[in-house]
Amino acid sequence: MFGLFGSKKKGLEELKEQAAALEKERKWSKLSEAYYLLGKEYQAQGDLERARLYLERACTLYSNFDEIFDACQSFMDDCDERLGALEEEPLLHNELLEQVEEKAEEFSNEEKYYWGLLSLARFEYVFQRLCAASGCEILGEIEKVFDLLVHSMRQDMTEEEQEYLNDFMGRFYEFDNSEDFVDAGNQVALPCGNNLQVFDLNGNDTVTCLSLFMDKCFSALSQGADWVEVGDEAEVDFIPCTLLLDYYLRNEDKDIRENAKIQAEIARIWSDAEFIDTEPETEEILERLNTYRKLDILA
């Protein structure tokens, strides 16, 4: 270890205070250790949801940056093993992801894309909030990206549009691996008094899963009007990420399953699945998409 925390066992509050101080100082390798120790402590206390939150943050820091990776050798293997074990636990995201994957098996590829697009639409307002944070301007482009997606559901993309989307995906991937993404100081205040961090998009590989879905969607759309017939199979793993669990786990102490906003988002996910089951017309899908694009799921 780095000697920052010493051998004395520390309680949650002290560990959280030390992590908060390191977040402000942007001392990434020490912060990765702090998150790891927080995750361990939450796991020891039986709070597996928050254990996953902090162990994933620790993992992202040492996985994304070579210099941090080299400095975290003493604990990273244990962190990885703990995260692997948590994948088998009955956490809310694990259960919902399994249910989503099972439901997706009933859908055609076209229907999977539609289900994904409905979920993606609910990220637009979240991204518009976060784009004001330092170095996070790319999140503000999601409106233009979605405009192109919707436009391409009616007619073929132009070469210029394809070039823009390819460029966007490259820059979005770089953002996911940037210091601006992991900087907990990149946050916005919400009307409820809580703060939403860009790093809250880290949980359950939200941005990575979003990237996979959008990349495959763009690739399919670029093939022309019959995009869903020739495109790759749609990724649906990001759909449960619309719960934004990291935000709620950071800002609340209660059981997240009792959170009314999380319950409402779960209801939207299954409402969308039922809607797709009705084999709606394209215009009906677009109407629902446009409604979601204006929805603030954190309000």
Side-chain angles (χ1 to χ4, degrees), residues 17-47:
E17 288 175 4
Q18 290 176 329
L22 292 168
E23 287 173 345
K24 292 179 180 179
E25 296 172 8
R26 294 164 59 94
K27 293 183 177 179
W28 304 125
S29 57
K30 292 181 179 180
L31 179 58
S32 181
E33 182 189 18
Y35 285 151
Y36 161 71
L37 292 173
L38 258 177
K40 274 184 62 177
E41 183 62 21
Y42 271 119
Q43 196 169 20
Q45 296 192 17
D47 189 341

Side-chain angles (χ1 to χ4, degrees), residues 63-93:
S63 297
N64 282 17
F65 308 100
D66 290 340
E67 64 276 16
I68 301 175
F69 182 89
D70 293 337
C72 296
Q73 296 291 320
S74 62
F75 64 87
M76 58 188 293
D77 287 345
D78 184 62
C79 186
D80 289 343
E81 290 178 6
R82 290 175 183 272
L83 282 171
L86 287 174
E87 291 179 2
E88 306 302 321
E89 295 290 342
L91 305 183
L92 177 55
H93 179 271

Side-chain angles (χ1 to χ4, degrees), residues 5 12-13 50 59 61 78 139 158 165 194 206 264 267 287 291:
F5 301 96
L12 276 175
E13 290 307 313
R50 289 174 179 81
C59 180
L61 283 169
D78 184 62
L139 297 179
T158 66
L165 291 175
N194 293 335
T206 293
E287 181 179 356
T291 298

Side-chain angles (χ1 to χ4, degrees), residues 102-120:
E102 289 178 358
K103 180 60 181 178
E105 292 177 359
E106 302 175 14
F107 286 157
S108 67
N109 202 35
E110 178 181 16
E111 291 170 331
K112 290 178 187 177
Y113 272 112
Y114 286 147
W115 196 13
L117 285 169
L118 289 169
S119 299
L120 177 62

